[in-house]
Amino acid sequence: PCTFDAWQEWGQCSCEGKSQSSSRHRTVLWQSPFAGDDCSLMAVEVKYCGSSCPPSAVHCTWASWQGWSECDQSCGSVGSMTRARSVD
């Protein structure tokens, strides 16, 4: 068996993953060394607030441009050259 302090107040809803949730905690005052229970698992409650979270913003940074490729056509023909850069 476990003995706990009183529950704390519910926290504000926040986005963790895809759903908004709130949690509250309580302190484990005593845990029986023979019960085998993990009291810390019973010391947290989570409730869902019923709203979806907006997609996470992705902030990309671009690497420098690589050099130009060789022209893909021989002299006198219209060809193309390419260059690329990656997202860091």
Side-chain angles (χ1 to χ4, degrees), residues 11-23 47 49 51 53:
Q12 291 191 359
C13 288
S14 63
C15 284
E16 298 289 333
K18 295 183 179 182
S19 299
Q20 287 192 27
S21 62
S22 175
S23 63
K47 70 176 179 179
C49 302
S51 300
C53 294

Side-chain angles (χ1 to χ4, degrees), residues 4-85:
F4 298 97
D5 201 358
W7 285 105
Q8 296 175 357
E9 294 294 318
W10 286 101
Q12 291 191 359
C13 288
S14 63
C15 284
E16 298 289 333
K18 295 183 179 182
S19 299
Q20 287 192 27
S21 62
S22 175
S23 63
R24 67 179 183 168
H25 304 267
R26 59 185 177 175
T27 303
V28 177
L29 298 175
W30 183 81
Q31 177 173 340
S32 169
F34 307 108
D37 294 331
D38 184 355
C39 295
S40 65
L41 297 175
M42 296 179 275
V44 178
E45 280 188 327
V46 176
K47 70 176 179 179
Y48 294 95
C49 302
S51 300
S52 296
C53 294
S56 298
V58 176
H59 300 286
C60 301
T61 56
W62 291 96
S64 298
W65 285 102
Q66 297 174 357
W68 287 101
S69 69
E70 296 291 321
C71 186
D72 63 359
Q73 295 293 321
S74 60
C75 186
S77 300
V78 175
S80 63
M81 296 169 37
T82 59
R83 67 178 183 163
R85 63 181 177 171

